[in-house]
mmCIF file of all heavy atoms in Angstrom:
data_model
loop_
_atom_site.group_PDB
_atom_site.id
_atom_site.type_symbol
_atom_site.label_atom_id
_atom_site.label_comp_id
_atom_site.label_asym_id
_atom_site.label_seq_id
_atom_site.Cartn_x
_atom_site.Cartn_y
_atom_site.Cartn_z
ATOM 1 N N PHE A 40 0.844 -1.155 -0.009
ATOM 2 C CA PHE A 40 0.002 -0.010 -0.002
ATOM 3 C C PHE A 40 0.866 1.246 -0.018
ATOM 4 O O PHE A 40 1.945 1.246 0.607
ATOM 5 C CB PHE A 40 -0.900 0.050 1.256
ATOM 6 C CG PHE A 40 -1.968 -0.970 1.286
ATOM 7 C CD1 PHE A 40 -2.029 -2.059 0.419
ATOM 8 C CD2 PHE A 40 -2.998 -0.935 2.278
ATOM 9 C CE1 PHE A 40 -3.024 -2.987 0.460
ATOM 10 C CE2 PHE A 40 -3.947 -1.865 2.361
ATOM 11 C CZ PHE A 40 -3.971 -2.905 1.481
ATOM 12 N N THR A 41 0.402 2.279 -0.666
ATOM 13 C CA THR A 41 1.124 3.516 -0.692
ATOM 14 C C THR A 41 0.150 4.671 -0.454
ATOM 15 O O THR A 41 -0.894 4.785 -1.144
ATOM 16 C CB THR A 41 1.819 3.762 -2.021
ATOM 17 O OG1 THR A 41 2.787 2.720 -2.264
ATOM 18 C CG2 THR A 41 2.607 5.099 -1.994
ATOM 19 N N ILE A 42 0.456 5.554 0.478
ATOM 20 C CA ILE A 42 -0.361 6.709 0.765
ATOM 21 C C ILE A 42 0.258 7.895 0.027
ATOM 22 O O ILE A 42 1.501 8.071 0.032
ATOM 23 C CB ILE A 42 -0.560 6.944 2.237
ATOM 24 C CG1 ILE A 42 -1.646 7.967 2.547
ATOM 25 C CG2 ILE A 42 0.785 7.345 2.906
ATOM 26 C CD1 ILE A 42 -2.002 8.006 4.027
ATOM 27 N N SER A 43 -0.582 8.761 -0.566
ATOM 28 C CA SER A 43 -0.095 9.966 -1.239
ATOM 29 C C SER A 43 -1.156 11.031 -1.142
ATOM 30 O O SER A 43 -2.252 10.807 -0.618
ATOM 31 C CB SER A 43 0.229 9.581 -2.733
ATOM 32 O OG SER A 43 -0.940 9.171 -3.407
ATOM 33 N N ARG A 44 -0.850 12.206 -1.697
ATOM 34 C CA ARG A 44 -1.790 13.290 -1.570
ATOM 35 C C ARG A 44 -1.749 14.185 -2.748
ATOM 36 O O ARG A 44 -0.763 14.265 -3.468
ATOM 37 C CB ARG A 44 -1.531 14.053 -0.285
ATOM 38 C CG ARG A 44 -0.153 14.822 -0.317
ATOM 39 C CD ARG A 44 0.210 15.338 1.029
ATOM 40 N NE ARG A 44 1.428 16.190 0.961
ATOM 41 C CZ ARG A 44 2.219 16.391 1.962
ATOM 42 N NH1 ARG A 44 1.958 15.807 3.153
ATOM 43 N NH2 ARG A 44 3.273 17.151 1.818
ATOM 44 N N ASP A 45 -2.857 14.929 -2.930
ATOM 45 C CA ASP A 45 -2.916 15.992 -3.911
ATOM 46 C C ASP A 45 -3.241 17.260 -3.083
ATOM 47 O O ASP A 45 -4.321 17.479 -2.643
ATOM 48 C CB ASP A 45 -4.038 15.711 -4.922
ATOM 49 C CG ASP A 45 -4.133 16.844 -5.987
ATOM 50 O OD1 ASP A 45 -3.740 17.965 -5.751
ATOM 51 O OD2 ASP A 45 -4.658 16.473 -7.103
ATOM 52 N N ASN A 46 -2.220 18.039 -2.885
ATOM 53 C CA ASN A 46 -2.328 19.209 -1.989
ATOM 54 C C ASN A 46 -3.369 20.174 -2.513
ATOM 55 O O ASN A 46 -4.132 20.778 -1.728
ATOM 56 C CB ASN A 46 -0.981 19.933 -1.835
ATOM 57 C CG ASN A 46 0.010 19.163 -1.039
ATOM 58 O OD1 ASN A 46 -0.379 18.373 -0.210
ATOM 59 N ND2 ASN A 46 1.273 19.409 -1.235
ATOM 60 N N ALA A 47 -3.446 20.403 -3.843
ATOM 61 C CA ALA A 47 -4.349 21.407 -4.422
ATOM 62 C C ALA A 47 -5.784 21.013 -4.149
ATOM 63 O O ALA A 47 -6.641 21.905 -3.995
ATOM 64 C CB ALA A 47 -4.104 21.575 -5.925
ATOM 65 N N LYS A 48 -6.108 19.734 -4.116
ATOM 66 C CA LYS A 48 -7.456 19.248 -3.908
ATOM 67 C C LYS A 48 -7.721 18.770 -2.494
ATOM 68 O O LYS A 48 -8.814 18.219 -2.238
ATOM 69 C CB LYS A 48 -7.762 18.163 -4.909
ATOM 70 C CG LYS A 48 -7.716 18.636 -6.361
ATOM 71 C CD LYS A 48 -8.186 17.520 -7.279
ATOM 72 C CE LYS A 48 -8.189 17.991 -8.723
ATOM 73 N NZ LYS A 48 -9.188 19.098 -8.941
ATOM 74 N N ASN A 49 -6.746 18.890 -1.618
ATOM 75 C CA ASN A 49 -6.865 18.377 -0.224
ATOM 76 C C ASN A 49 -7.407 16.973 -0.208
ATOM 77 O O ASN A 49 -8.285 16.625 0.544
ATOM 78 C CB ASN A 49 -7.813 19.307 0.559
ATOM 79 C CG ASN A 49 -7.155 20.634 0.961
ATOM 80 O OD1 ASN A 49 -5.957 20.760 0.932
ATOM 81 N ND2 ASN A 49 -8.007 21.662 1.281
ATOM 82 N N THR A 50 -6.783 16.150 -1.003
ATOM 83 C CA THR A 50 -7.149 14.768 -1.160
ATOM 84 C C THR A 50 -6.034 13.855 -0.827
ATOM 85 O O THR A 50 -4.853 14.052 -1.329
ATOM 86 C CB THR A 50 -7.701 14.516 -2.572
ATOM 87 O OG1 THR A 50 -8.864 15.295 -2.842
ATOM 88 C CG2 THR A 50 -8.091 13.035 -2.715
ATOM 89 N N VAL A 51 -6.277 12.825 -0.048
ATOM 90 C CA VAL A 51 -5.330 11.774 0.262
ATOM 91 C C VAL A 51 -5.703 10.494 -0.384
ATOM 92 O O VAL A 51 -6.927 10.147 -0.392
ATOM 93 C CB VAL A 51 -5.148 11.596 1.799
ATOM 94 C CG1 VAL A 51 -4.232 10.471 2.135
ATOM 95 C CG2 VAL A 51 -4.649 12.896 2.380
ATOM 96 N N PHE A 52 -4.814 9.776 -0.959
ATOM 97 C CA PHE A 52 -5.070 8.526 -1.667
ATOM 98 C C PHE A 52 -4.390 7.361 -0.942
ATOM 99 O O PHE A 52 -3.347 7.498 -0.270
ATOM 100 C CB PHE A 52 -4.522 8.580 -3.092
ATOM 101 C CG PHE A 52 -5.030 9.709 -3.878
ATOM 102 C CD1 PHE A 52 -4.344 10.876 -4.038
ATOM 103 C CD2 PHE A 52 -6.286 9.623 -4.491
ATOM 104 C CE1 PHE A 52 -4.763 11.934 -4.785
ATOM 105 C CE2 PHE A 52 -6.771 10.711 -5.220
ATOM 106 C CZ PHE A 52 -6.028 11.870 -5.375
ATOM 107 N N LEU A 53 -4.993 6.210 -1.052
ATOM 108 C CA LEU A 53 -4.411 4.956 -0.585
ATOM 109 C C LEU A 53 -4.379 4.018 -1.759
ATOM 110 O O LEU A 53 -5.439 3.489 -2.135
ATOM 111 C CB LEU A 53 -5.143 4.373 0.602
ATOM 112 C CG LEU A 53 -4.518 3.118 1.184
ATOM 113 C CD1 LEU A 53 -3.145 3.486 1.872
ATOM 114 C CD2 LEU A 53 -5.451 2.419 2.142
ATOM 115 N N GLN A 54 -3.214 3.855 -2.368
ATOM 116 C CA GLN A 54 -3.057 2.878 -3.494
ATOM 117 C C GLN A 54 -2.792 1.519 -2.895
ATOM 118 O O GLN A 54 -1.828 1.346 -2.174
ATOM 119 C CB GLN A 54 -1.930 3.332 -4.401
ATOM 120 C CG GLN A 54 -1.652 2.427 -5.538
ATOM 121 C CD GLN A 54 -2.797 2.357 -6.517
ATOM 122 O OE1 GLN A 54 -3.275 3.420 -6.937
ATOM 123 N NE2 GLN A 54 -3.266 1.141 -6.890
ATOM 124 N N MET A 55 -3.667 0.610 -3.192
ATOM 125 C CA MET A 55 -3.620 -0.753 -2.612
ATOM 126 C C MET A 55 -3.309 -1.714 -3.760
ATOM 127 O O MET A 55 -4.117 -1.833 -4.684
ATOM 128 C CB MET A 55 -4.967 -1.084 -1.918
ATOM 129 C CG MET A 55 -5.460 0.015 -0.999
ATOM 130 S SD MET A 55 -7.190 -0.210 -0.539
ATOM 131 C CE MET A 55 -7.098 -1.740 0.374
ATOM 132 N N SER A 56 -2.258 -2.378 -3.619
ATOM 133 C CA SER A 56 -1.808 -3.371 -4.637
ATOM 134 C C SER A 56 -1.534 -4.754 -3.997
ATOM 135 O O SER A 56 -1.420 -4.823 -2.789
ATOM 136 C CB SER A 56 -0.510 -2.863 -5.338
ATOM 137 O OG SER A 56 -0.698 -1.605 -5.950
ATOM 138 N N SER A 57 -1.462 -5.726 -4.864
ATOM 139 C CA SER A 57 -1.219 -7.114 -4.403
ATOM 140 C C SER A 57 -2.177 -7.427 -3.245
ATOM 141 O O SER A 57 -1.834 -8.014 -2.219
ATOM 142 C CB SER A 57 0.246 -7.296 -3.901
ATOM 143 O OG SER A 57 1.125 -7.024 -4.967
ATOM 144 N N LEU A 58 -3.428 -7.182 -3.473
ATOM 145 C CA LEU A 58 -4.425 -7.351 -2.431
ATOM 146 C C LEU A 58 -4.680 -8.823 -2.109
ATOM 147 O O LEU A 58 -4.587 -9.676 -2.953
ATOM 148 C CB LEU A 58 -5.761 -6.750 -2.880
ATOM 149 C CG LEU A 58 -5.801 -5.179 -2.759
ATOM 150 C CD1 LEU A 58 -6.949 -4.584 -3.555
ATOM 151 C CD2 LEU A 58 -5.889 -4.814 -1.305
ATOM 152 N N LYS A 59 -4.880 -9.073 -0.823
ATOM 153 C CA LYS A 59 -5.099 -10.403 -0.283
ATOM 154 C C LYS A 59 -6.467 -10.475 0.356
ATOM 155 O O LYS A 59 -7.008 -9.483 0.761
ATOM 156 C CB LYS A 59 -4.048 -10.713 0.773
ATOM 157 C CG LYS A 59 -2.612 -10.525 0.299
ATOM 158 C CD LYS A 59 -1.634 -10.664 1.505
ATOM 159 C CE LYS A 59 -0.224 -10.471 1.111
ATOM 160 N NZ LYS A 59 0.715 -10.594 2.243
ATOM 161 N N PRO A 60 -7.043 -11.731 0.464
ATOM 162 C CA PRO A 60 -8.324 -11.800 1.176
ATOM 163 C C PRO A 60 -8.365 -11.201 2.553
ATOM 164 O O PRO A 60 -9.366 -10.637 2.959
ATOM 165 C CB PRO A 60 -8.541 -13.284 1.228
ATOM 166 C CG PRO A 60 -7.825 -13.824 0.026
ATOM 167 C CD PRO A 60 -6.594 -12.976 -0.085
ATOM 168 N N GLU A 61 -7.258 -11.250 3.265
ATOM 169 C CA GLU A 61 -7.179 -10.694 4.604
ATOM 170 C C GLU A 61 -7.221 -9.150 4.624
ATOM 171 O O GLU A 61 -7.332 -8.539 5.676
ATOM 172 C CB GLU A 61 -5.933 -11.190 5.342
ATOM 173 C CG GLU A 61 -4.627 -11.016 4.605
ATOM 174 C CD GLU A 61 -4.225 -12.301 3.902
ATOM 175 O OE1 GLU A 61 -5.134 -12.941 3.253
ATOM 176 O OE2 GLU A 61 -3.050 -12.670 3.962
ATOM 177 N N ASP A 62 -7.143 -8.537 3.417
ATOM 178 C CA ASP A 62 -7.313 -7.102 3.331
ATOM 179 C C ASP A 62 -8.785 -6.709 3.312
ATOM 180 O O ASP A 62 -9.086 -5.474 3.385
ATOM 181 C CB ASP A 62 -6.631 -6.557 2.113
ATOM 182 C CG ASP A 62 -5.095 -6.700 2.112
ATOM 183 O OD1 ASP A 62 -4.542 -6.496 3.213
ATOM 184 O OD2 ASP A 62 -4.504 -7.099 1.057
ATOM 185 N N THR A 63 -9.679 -7.658 3.198
ATOM 186 C CA THR A 63 -11.105 -7.379 3.158
ATOM 187 C C THR A 63 -11.492 -6.710 4.474
ATOM 188 O O THR A 63 -11.306 -7.202 5.563
ATOM 189 C CB THR A 63 -11.900 -8.648 2.937
ATOM 190 O OG1 THR A 63 -11.561 -9.193 1.644
ATOM 191 C CG2 THR A 63 -13.420 -8.384 3.054
ATOM 192 N N ALA A 64 -12.133 -5.540 4.311
ATOM 193 C CA ALA A 64 -12.584 -4.745 5.469
ATOM 194 C C ALA A 64 -13.286 -3.494 5.034
ATOM 195 O O ALA A 64 -13.260 -3.156 3.841
ATOM 196 C CB ALA A 64 -11.363 -4.352 6.329
ATOM 197 N N ILE A 65 -13.900 -2.803 5.950
ATOM 198 C CA ILE A 65 -14.327 -1.473 5.704
ATOM 199 C C ILE A 65 -13.109 -0.512 5.973
ATOM 200 O O ILE A 65 -12.546 -0.593 7.064
ATOM 201 C CB ILE A 65 -15.542 -1.062 6.567
ATOM 202 C CG1 ILE A 65 -16.730 -2.030 6.292
ATOM 203 C CG2 ILE A 65 -15.946 0.366 6.314
ATOM 204 C CD1 ILE A 65 -17.882 -1.825 7.196
ATOM 205 N N TYR A 66 -12.816 0.297 5.067
ATOM 206 C CA TYR A 66 -11.725 1.220 5.174
ATOM 207 C C TYR A 66 -12.215 2.608 5.467
ATOM 208 O O TYR A 66 -13.094 3.119 4.800
ATOM 209 C CB TYR A 66 -10.864 1.223 3.894
ATOM 210 C CG TYR A 66 -9.969 0.047 3.787
ATOM 211 C CD1 TYR A 66 -10.527 -1.201 3.478
ATOM 212 C CD2 TYR A 66 -8.601 0.125 3.893
ATOM 213 C CE1 TYR A 66 -9.726 -2.346 3.416
ATOM 214 C CE2 TYR A 66 -7.800 -0.996 3.844
ATOM 215 C CZ TYR A 66 -8.378 -2.259 3.551
ATOM 216 O OH TYR A 66 -7.562 -3.350 3.446
ATOM 217 N N TYR A 67 -11.618 3.274 6.467
ATOM 218 C CA TYR A 67 -12.001 4.557 6.934
ATOM 219 C C TYR A 67 -10.864 5.550 6.755
ATOM 220 O O TYR A 67 -9.716 5.219 7.086
ATOM 221 C CB TYR A 67 -12.409 4.512 8.401
ATOM 222 C CG TYR A 67 -13.595 3.614 8.680
ATOM 223 C CD1 TYR A 67 -13.444 2.334 9.024
ATOM 224 C CD2 TYR A 67 -14.853 4.183 8.705
ATOM 225 C CE1 TYR A 67 -14.506 1.528 9.370
ATOM 226 C CE2 TYR A 67 -15.996 3.414 9.004
ATOM 227 C CZ TYR A 67 -15.799 2.070 9.308
ATOM 228 O OH TYR A 67 -16.899 1.282 9.608
ATOM 229 N N CYS A 68 -11.191 6.746 6.334
ATOM 230 C CA CYS A 68 -10.297 7.840 6.328
ATOM 231 C C CYS A 68 -10.521 8.610 7.630
ATOM 232 O O CYS A 68 -11.705 8.774 8.058
ATOM 233 C CB CYS A 68 -10.523 8.688 5.095
ATOM 234 S SG CYS A 68 -9.585 10.231 5.023
ATOM 235 N N ALA A 69 -9.485 9.147 8.219
ATOM 236 C CA ALA A 69 -9.661 9.907 9.490
ATOM 237 C C ALA A 69 -8.660 11.028 9.514
ATOM 238 O O ALA A 69 -7.574 11.017 8.872
ATOM 239 C CB ALA A 69 -9.441 8.948 10.674
ATOM 240 N N ALA A 70 -8.930 12.058 10.325
ATOM 241 C CA ALA A 70 -8.116 13.211 10.501
ATOM 242 C C ALA A 70 -7.847 13.438 11.992
ATOM 243 O O ALA A 70 -8.750 13.304 12.791
ATOM 244 C CB ALA A 70 -8.687 14.430 9.824
ATOM 245 N N ARG A 71 -6.623 13.822 12.268
ATOM 246 C CA ARG A 71 -6.303 14.232 13.659
ATOM 247 C C ARG A 71 -5.500 15.520 13.634
ATOM 248 O O ARG A 71 -4.842 15.814 12.652
ATOM 249 C CB ARG A 71 -5.504 13.095 14.398
ATOM 250 C CG ARG A 71 -4.106 12.835 13.815
ATOM 251 C CD ARG A 71 -3.440 11.742 14.645
ATOM 252 N NE ARG A 71 -2.194 11.258 13.989
ATOM 253 C CZ ARG A 71 -0.976 11.534 14.444
ATOM 254 N NH1 ARG A 71 -0.813 12.334 15.492
ATOM 255 N NH2 ARG A 71 0.091 11.039 13.842
ATOM 256 N N ARG A 72 -5.564 16.233 14.765
ATOM 257 C CA ARG A 72 -4.797 17.440 14.864
ATOM 258 C C ARG A 72 -3.316 17.127 15.037
ATOM 259 O O ARG A 72 -2.953 16.209 15.699
ATOM 260 C CB ARG A 72 -5.306 18.233 16.080
ATOM 261 C CG ARG A 72 -6.672 18.819 15.948
ATOM 262 C CD ARG A 72 -7.118 19.578 17.196
ATOM 263 N NE ARG A 72 -7.441 18.614 18.262
ATOM 264 C CZ ARG A 72 -6.689 18.437 19.358
ATOM 265 N NH1 ARG A 72 -5.616 19.133 19.527
ATOM 266 N NH2 ARG A 72 -7.078 17.589 20.278
ATOM 267 N N ALA A 73 -2.547 17.969 14.385
ATOM 268 C CA ALA A 73 -1.082 17.795 14.553
ATOM 269 C C ALA A 73 -0.785 18.009 16.043
ATOM 270 O O ALA A 73 -1.291 18.927 16.642
ATOM 271 C CB ALA A 73 -0.345 18.884 13.725
ATOM 272 N N GLY A 74 -0.036 17.158 16.574
ATOM 273 C CA GLY A 74 0.347 17.220 17.996
ATOM 274 C C GLY A 74 -0.530 16.362 18.892
ATOM 275 O O GLY A 74 -0.204 16.224 20.063
ATOM 276 N N GLN A 75 -1.652 15.865 18.360
ATOM 277 C CA GLN A 75 -2.445 14.916 19.124
ATOM 278 C C GLN A 75 -1.941 13.546 18.960
ATOM 279 O O GLN A 75 -1.892 12.986 17.884
ATOM 280 C CB GLN A 75 -3.896 15.057 18.720
ATOM 281 C CG GLN A 75 -4.846 14.096 19.465
ATOM 282 C CD GLN A 75 -6.300 14.435 19.238
ATOM 283 O OE1 GLN A 75 -6.707 15.608 19.476
ATOM 284 N NE2 GLN A 75 -7.100 13.475 18.866
ATOM 285 N N GLY A 76 -1.616 12.918 20.101
ATOM 286 C CA GLY A 76 -0.920 11.594 20.009
ATOM 287 C C GLY A 76 0.556 11.805 19.582
ATOM 288 O O GLY A 76 1.016 12.945 19.382
ATOM 289 N N THR A 77 1.238 10.722 19.348
ATOM 290 C CA THR A 77 2.555 10.771 18.839
ATOM 291 C C THR A 77 2.525 11.086 17.364
ATOM 292 O O THR A 77 1.487 10.899 16.669
ATOM 293 C CB THR A 77 3.302 9.479 19.118
ATOM 294 O OG1 THR A 77 2.632 8.387 18.395
ATOM 295 C CG2 THR A 77 3.365 9.101 20.586
ATOM 296 N N ILE A 78 3.649 11.444 16.768
ATOM 297 C CA ILE A 78 3.682 11.803 15.388
ATOM 298 C C ILE A 78 3.300 10.636 14.497
ATOM 299 O O ILE A 78 2.749 10.841 13.429
ATOM 300 C CB ILE A 78 5.035 12.444 14.997
ATOM 301 C CG1 ILE A 78 4.941 13.056 13.595
ATOM 302 C CG2 ILE A 78 6.127 11.387 15.032
ATOM 303 C CD1 ILE A 78 6.136 13.951 13.268
ATOM 304 N N GLN A 79 3.623 9.409 14.934
ATOM 305 C CA GLN A 79 3.320 8.206 14.202
ATOM 306 C C GLN A 79 2.242 7.402 14.956
ATOM 307 O O GLN A 79 2.345 6.180 15.062
ATOM 308 C CB GLN A 79 4.559 7.379 13.895
ATOM 309 C CG GLN A 79 5.518 8.065 12.989
ATOM 310 C CD GLN A 79 6.612 7.179 12.463
ATOM 311 O OE1 GLN A 79 6.671 5.990 12.741
ATOM 312 N NE2 GLN A 79 7.553 7.726 11.689
ATOM 313 N N SER A 80 1.188 8.087 15.349
ATOM 314 C CA SER A 80 0.133 7.408 16.100
ATOM 315 C C SER A 80 -0.546 6.352 15.208
ATOM 316 O O SER A 80 -0.741 6.518 14.039
ATOM 317 C CB SER A 80 -0.930 8.426 16.528
ATOM 318 O OG SER A 80 -2.044 7.771 17.064
ATOM 319 N N ARG A 81 -0.878 5.227 15.906
ATOM 320 C CA ARG A 81 -1.606 4.146 15.252
ATOM 321 C C ARG A 81 -2.952 3.868 15.936
ATOM 322 O O ARG A 81 -3.530 2.823 15.753
ATOM 323 C CB ARG A 81 -0.766 2.864 15.226
ATOM 324 C CG ARG A 81 0.519 3.045 14.423
ATOM 325 C CD ARG A 81 1.513 1.921 14.652
ATOM 326 N NE ARG A 81 2.738 2.137 13.919
ATOM 327 C CZ ARG A 81 3.032 1.540 12.764
ATOM 328 N NH1 ARG A 81 2.142 0.633 12.223
ATOM 329 N NH2 ARG A 81 4.141 1.820 12.134
#
C-alpha cells in the first residue's frame, strides 16, 4: 500500500496493490490534529 496526496485538492489517496483476502474490510479515512498523540500514532 502507498499513501499519497494532492495538495491542491486536499485529497489523500491509498493505493492498494497485491491485495489479499485478509485485506477485506471497511476502510475509513480519518483526520487528527497535529500534535495529538505521537507523530506516528496508530
